Amino acid sequence: MRRLLLLRHAKTETDSPSGHDQDRRLDDRGHRDAAEIGGWLADHPPLPNRALVSPAVRTTQTWEIVREAMKEAGPQPKVEFVPELYGADPTQLLTTIRMASVTDPKRLMLIGHNPGMHELALTLTGSGDETSRHALNDNLPTSGLAIFDFAIDDWNEVSFRRGKLVLFVSPKLLKQASRN
């Protein structure tokens, strides 16, 4: 069994001071939302063993905030900054996931960008929680987290439509749940 966690970066400023998309930083809401998702992860183990993070400023900042929120919850994931995650489409993302077979973590987290992350989540989903599937169909919002289980022994075996969507959560969904 392997678990894949897909996390989209948190909310960002519209433009970066440099004018380059990769340099966009988190805004105030992004900082709060990343901390909320990190706290949620800390409260819902097991934590990922490895995190693959796009090197864009917003994904790096999201990772740092999430990591900080998880630090008391258990062993910290090993992190690798993977340039190929920036602007990747679902096929490129799948290739990156399969390459995790080299280090073979049981639980792998990717922190990246839309539209690729949302499209990947949709194409990986073969079964799973119906409420989460419905919510994920619309969007993978900033700080959105999709958690998949795969009945496999090696990351090389991950393929489209074979994932079980265990849960989809976002700061907005967490706020709605706390009101009910």
Side-chain angles (χ1 to χ4, degrees):
M1 181 71 71
R2 297 290 181 270
R3 175 161 283 186
L4 177 65
L5 299 91
L6 300 178
L7 177 62
R8 183 175 172 206
H9 64 77
K11 185 81 173 144
T12 65
E13 60 191 2
T14 306
D15 296 307
S16 71
S18 72
H20 297 286
D21 181 67
Q22 283 194 329
D23 295 336
R24 288 173 42 214
R25 301 170 299 198
L26 299 186
D27 64 14
D28 290 341
R29 183 180 129 199
H31 283 269
R32 288 190 306 272
D33 288 353
E36 185 171 7
I37 286 297
W40 185 90
L41 280 162
D43 292 341
H44 296 85
L47 298 179
N49 307 105
R50 187 165 196 85
L52 304 179
V53 182
S54 162
V57 171
R58 59 191 178 271
T59 45
T60 302
Q61 287 180 319
T62 299
W63 163 247
E64 289 301 325
I65 294 167
V66 167
R67 182 189 56 76
E68 181 66 25
M70 295 188 308
K71 75 178 183 182
E72 301 296 323
Q76 290 297 290
K78 290 184 165 71
V79 64
E80 182 180 347
F81 295 94
V82 181
E84 294 80 12
L85 291 177
Y86 182 79
D89 66 28
T91 303
Q92 293 166 310
L93 292 166
L94 182 61
T95 298
T96 300
I97 292 165
R98 288 178 175 166
M99 290 174 66
S101 66
V102 174
T103 55
D104 196 29
K106 301 294 184 230
R107 295 171 304 280
L108 176 67
M109 174 184 274
L110 260 64
I111 303 180
H113 312 267
N114 274 356
M117 292 286 279
H118 183 230
E119 293 168 357
L120 176 65
L122 294 176
T123 57
L124 288 176
T125 304
S127 65
D129 179 72
E130 204 54 46
T131 302
S132 292
R133 288 176 74 169
H134 180 73
L136 183 59
N137 274 335
D138 293 331
N139 188 22
L140 179 59
T142 53
S143 296
L145 175 68
I147 302 173
F148 293 89
D149 280 344
F150 292 89
I152 58 173
D153 295 320
D154 189 301
W155 287 105
N156 279 316
E157 300 170 30
V158 171
S159 59
F160 295 146
R161 305 277 178 238
R162 298 289 306 275
K164 177 183 177 188
L165 180 60
V166 176
L167 186 66
F168 168 62
V169 66
S170 68
K172 181 179 178 182
L173 292 173
L174 291 173
K175 285 177 184 67
Q176 288 172 352
S178 70
R179 282 188 233 136
N180 294 338

